[in-house]
Amino acid sequence: MWRTFPLIGLVVAMPATAQTLTPMIDARLRTERVEQDGLPLDGEAVTLRLRAGVQASEGPLTALVEAQGNLSLAGRYEDGLSGSAARPLIADPENIAIHRAQLALKLPGVTLTAGRQRITLDDERFVGAVGFRQNGQSFDAVRAEVTPVKGVKADLSYVWSVRTIWGVDGTGARQRAVGGDTVFANLSWASPIGTLTGFGYWADQDEAAVQGFRLSSRTFGVRLAGARTLGKAKLAWQLSHARQSEFGRNPNDYAAHYWLADLSVDLDGPRLGAGYEVLGADDGRPFTSFQTPLATGFKFQGWADKYLATPPDGLRDLYLSAGWSWKAVGPAKAVALQAAWHRYESDRLTRHYGDELNLLASAKLGRTTASVRFADYRADGFATDTRKYWLQLDWTL
């Protein structure tokens, strides 16, 4: 079986004869502040994340190694591993680790990748890199991407370890890595009305400390995502359905369903969107609702992070969004404003959980992207009122 660290030697040795050598550097400076009802103190973190690495290519072979470090510069917060329980969670613990170390072989119609790598599938609803958090998520895996004919793609991964956002000091329910025998399988076809994808995910969480194996599941589903240009307007749509049940050593016996309908329109500046997402419930026992532990959760159901684990009675999310973007405003490029509103309800017994407002402003100046975010969660039947503020600078070589 492949393991990651022997690959680092290949990555380091390869540049001596490589035809192409590409450095990779990106840095992120962020201030995050959280005010949460029910806790006596607020949380505030100023963190600096740096990733640096090198990619070497020789013919069809590419080797890559990338390290990452996250440093707390100021503030007082609960980072998930240390800090005061009187403060809200800001899940960015200090960390120094190998984020990626992979070897890839690219041939006509086939790409094979082995080692520690980022894997993002479709919209990252089920498998993602958790890019918003400073440490991110990567996978020790082998992956095959095959395009047998134009418009058809098969994507198959075997994962033996998930490297979590908790970093090298992760412990208990927040392990630095979760082992298991996990398989991701996607088969997609570029149809005339959008990309149609069938998928099967067998997620094996082989750590008793992580919810007693109750996040192990098998998920089968189908997704359609497409877009069409109508004059100056661009219309985009997503439809998805999946069914999930227990897998491996999961002691629960359950079945839960997932539904998504999403529609957006870009009017060459103004943007409008609406959607409805359902993570269904079985009978109300903990972890018998539809779970997505390997997803990029920040992208879905609001930025306040109240629903990273689906409640026992499931979740229905009705959301509306509006925004405006400009290619340039003076020296700033890709200027954008965005607002989104969410209404959350349970799937089982249909109770109102709460509402959330999300606001974002971003712009790019040279290699630096600046963004300001705000999330305001107003609780009704689930969790507590929470407000989050972010100021972030991203720089990429």
Side-chain angles (χ1 to χ4, degrees), residues 6 22-23 66-68 73 111 162-163 165 191 211 219-220 226 249 251 285 294 337 342 390:
T22 306
E66 180 184 50
Q68 72 173 6
L73 301 180
T111 299
V162 180
R163 314 301 294 194
I165 66 170
S191 79
Q211 305 301 342
T219 303
F220 302 99
R249 286 187 279 178
R285 289 172 295 143
L294 302 180
L337 301 175
H342 298 258
W390 296 270

Side-chain angles (χ1 to χ4, degrees), residues 110-131:
V110 179
T111 299
L112 303 175
T113 308
R116 185 165 301 169
Q117 56 192 284
R118 287 198 292 261
I119 300 177
T120 59
L121 298 177
D122 299 320
D123 59 353
E124 302 187 58
R125 189 62 187 99
F126 301 107
V127 181
V130 195

Side-chain angles (χ1 to χ4, degrees), residues 29-60:
L29 177 65
R30 180 161 71 207
T31 296
E32 181 170 349
R33 179 178 176 82
V34 184
E35 302 167 358
Q36 182 173 318
D37 285 10
L39 293 177
L41 301 173
D42 297 336
E44 186 164 4
V46 181
T47 55
L48 175 64
R49 196 276 308 282
L50 177 65
R51 287 180 180 160
V54 63
Q55 177 176 287
S57 300
E58 172 68 26

